[in-house]
Amino acid sequence: MATNLVVRNVEPEVAQALKEAAARHGRSAEAEHREILRVALSRPARRTFKDVLASMPDVGTDEDFNFRQG
């Protein structure tokens, strides 16, 4: 279900940049605004720490990671 959204007090420079971007992409300023919001808010889910660790390459041996004094 679509929702209407009103943005007030936008600086003239920002409004002009939106219109120019819309023209470059061949769409209305309203469609450009929707696309900007969609892209900005549709970020991929964050990876867990476990997933990040699991994705690291398996290099070296356990001895490479032993603490050496002095």
Side-chain angles (χ1 to χ4, degrees), residues 28-60:
S28 69
E30 185 176 327
E32 185 72 13
H33 189 190
R34 282 193 301 268
E35 181 63 9
I36 290 168
L37 288 171
R38 186 191 66 74
V39 169
L41 300 174
S42 299
R43 296 187 181 141
R46 281 186 74 163
R47 294 169 56 194
T48 66
F49 184 63
K50 178 182 174 183
D51 290 338
V52 171
L53 288 177
S55 71
M56 291 181 170
D58 186 18
V59 296

Side-chain angles (χ1 to χ4, degrees), residues 9-30:
N9 301 318
V10 176
E11 294 87 355
E13 303 82 25
V14 173
Q16 184 61 38
L18 177 67
K19 291 175 186 177
E20 292 172 7
R24 281 193 308 274
H25 297 125
R27 52 186 164 226
S28 69
E30 185 176 327

